[in-house]
Amino acid sequence: MAEVAKYVGVSAMTVSRAFRQDASVSEETRKRIMEAVDALGYVLDLSAGSLSSRRSGFIAALVPSINNSNFSDTARGITDALENTGLQLLLGYTDYAAEKEEKLIEAMLRRRPEGIILTGGSHTERARRMLDKAGIPVVETWEIPEEPINHVVGFSNSEAMSLLVRTLASQGYRRFGYIGGTTARDTRGSQRRSGFLKTVEELGLGPGRAISFGVPPITMEQGGQAIVSLLERWPDTEVVLCVSDLSAFGAIMECKRRGMRVPEDIAIAGFGDYEISSICHPSITTINVDCYGIGRQAAVRLLDALQAGSEASGDEITLISYKVVLRESTDRSAR
């Protein structure tokens, strides 16, 4: 608060009154204070007046989706790691929108969490400023950001998709297609698409046949619609890689409705190893990621940082393993 006061040229008490909507502060002064707050990344601490210990007893975690089993597993990993620590988890849902994430970060920071765990490494500039000023451990997960805020627990989505392409190419597939979302707000999906296109080109398999369909997260229905569009454009495609197992499942169901056999007529693979990928027929070839481990390692990293206090080192990266799981949907022996 003192930093905001100095920036505007008023007293700390005036800043405090402005936040409380005190009538003694003019609208012009309040406007200047709020502009300074945005510029400096300051967040009003709502807990300061009620918590003399300055301990809130919770950590915050933001996930893009609450109906995605992968992120549910990540949240479970966080919760299990926090057991017996006296800390509780407060979960926020961003719907893959950076603007919504920014608002949630501000709302969380107003209540002074002990630390915060984020999904992905793409944030608004204001969100990054707020996190930088917060003075608490920050852990970014599910990818490897180019410019980490603090700690990272994740993997390269691009390299994981590249591994899937190379594995299927080694089995003899040559004409590859890809189904992803229409926007870049799902940065992990964009990275998977980039990994696909780069690897197909490196292997000399021609330009990638990529379809952008639906706003992330792509649904099963959109996966079905997307494969129709892809095959109408490139009917000789041999194998289609999808941004997630849900879109892959939708693609498989649409193929069945149209009398196409998977994998005999068209092979299909997903990403994420959701539960549905192992129990549907045919079962879906996919990339398995330790979703639970991401959450647990993120919480452990945060707890270590809290224990180390001012001595904690930043920009530490914990790599999470991934692997290709080959199943019936790409089994060439069925052809």
Side-chain angles (χ1 to χ4, degrees):
M1 193 171 294
E3 187 177 357
V4 175
K6 182 179 180 181
Y7 188 94
V8 179
V10 298
S11 68
M13 181 59 71
T14 299
V15 174
S16 177
R17 288 172 176 167
F19 275 117
R20 297 199 305 268
Q21 301 294 315
D22 194 307
S24 64
V25 180
S26 69
E27 284 301 319
E28 180 182 350
T29 300
R30 181 178 288 107
K31 180 180 178 181
R32 288 166 52 211
I33 289 172
M34 293 307 169
E35 289 174 349
V37 165
D38 284 343
L40 296 172
Y42 180 80
V43 178
L44 174 64
D45 184 354
L46 295 179
S47 68
S50 58
L51 295 176
S52 59
S53 67
R54 301 301 299 244
R55 293 291 301 273
S56 61
F58 78 92
I59 69 167
L62 303 185
V63 297
S65 175
I66 56 176
N67 61 350
N68 182 316
S69 62
N70 283 1
F71 296 126
S72 297
D73 287 342
T74 297
R76 183 167 57 87
I78 296 172
T79 301
D80 287 354
L82 295 179
E83 191 173 1
N84 301 322
T85 66
L87 292 170
Q88 300 297 320
L89 174 64
L90 182 60
L91 197 64
Y93 163 51
T94 69
D95 193 26
Y96 292 88
E99 295 77 14
K100 188 171 183 179
E101 182 196 59
E102 177 188 302
K103 292 179 181 178
L104 283 170
I105 288 172
E106 181 175 15
M108 297 290 192
L109 292 180
R110 285 181 183 274
R111 288 155 179 83
R112 299 306 301 169
E114 306 293 319
I116 187 165
I117 297 173
L118 306 172
T119 302
S122 179
H123 320 286
T124 67
E125 285 301 318
R126 181 167 181 263
R128 293 184 70 92
R129 288 198 301 270
M130 288 190 291
L131 291 165
D132 182 61
K133 293 290 184 180
I136 59 174
V138 177
V139 184
E140 295 168 288
T141 64
W142 273 92
E143 62 181 85
I144 308 296
E146 293 184 4
E147 298 181 8
I149 294 173
N150 195 193
H151 305 285
V152 173
V153 176
F155 64 99
S156 170
N157 285 267
S158 175
E159 291 180 6
M161 183 58 78
S162 176
L163 176 62
L164 182 56
V165 173
R166 293 180 186 279
T167 300
L168 294 175
S170 70
Q171 295 188 337
Y173 287 106
R174 289 294 176 267
R175 295 187 292 274
F176 282 77
Y178 180 84
I179 290 173
T182 57
T183 71
R185 72 177 190 173
D186 177 12
T187 56
R188 291 162 300 286
S190 297
Q191 291 160 8
R192 292 168 196 172
R193 179 190 178 100
S194 296
F196 166 82
L197 293 173
K198 179 181 178 181
T199 307
V200 167
E201 183 177 354
E202 288 177 348
L203 295 176
L205 303 178
R209 308 169 177 206
I211 286 287
S212 297
F213 199 102
V215 177
I218 301 179
T219 64
M220 297 179 188
E221 180 181 6
Q222 289 169 331
Q225 295 169 340
I227 199 166
V228 172
S229 296
L230 189 148
L231 292 177
E232 284 177 349
R233 185 172 179 182
W234 298 290
D236 63 337
T237 302
E238 294 180 315
V239 58
V240 176
L241 279 56
C242 302
V243 69
S244 73
D245 286 349
L246 294 182
S247 51
F249 178 80
I252 289 173
M253 293 302 101
E254 183 61 31
C255 286
K256 284 191 171 186
R257 278 192 289 270
R258 292 173 175 264
M260 298 180 65
R261 300 168 301 164
V262 177
E264 292 88 347
D265 299 325
I266 182 73
I268 297 173
F271 195 108
D273 200 12
Y274 295 21
E275 182 179 8
I276 194 173
S277 67
S278 64
I279 63 175
C280 73
H281 180 71
S283 56
I284 302 174
T285 289
T286 186
I287 289 285
N288 171 276
V289 179
D290 185 5
C291 310
Y292 175 88
I294 289 176
R296 187 172 185 86
Q297 287 296 321
V300 168
R301 178 62 62 199
L302 188 147
L303 292 170
D304 288 345
L306 288 174
Q307 185 174 9
S310 60
E311 298 178 1
S313 59
D315 295 354
E316 294 186 10
I317 298 177
T318 301
L319 295 177
I320 297 297
S321 63
Y322 54 84
K323 63 182 179 181
V324 174
V325 180
L326 293 171
R327 295 197 178 107
E328 297 168 340
S329 67
T330 60
D331 183 3
R332 288 190 69 86
S333 67
R335 293 196 158 199

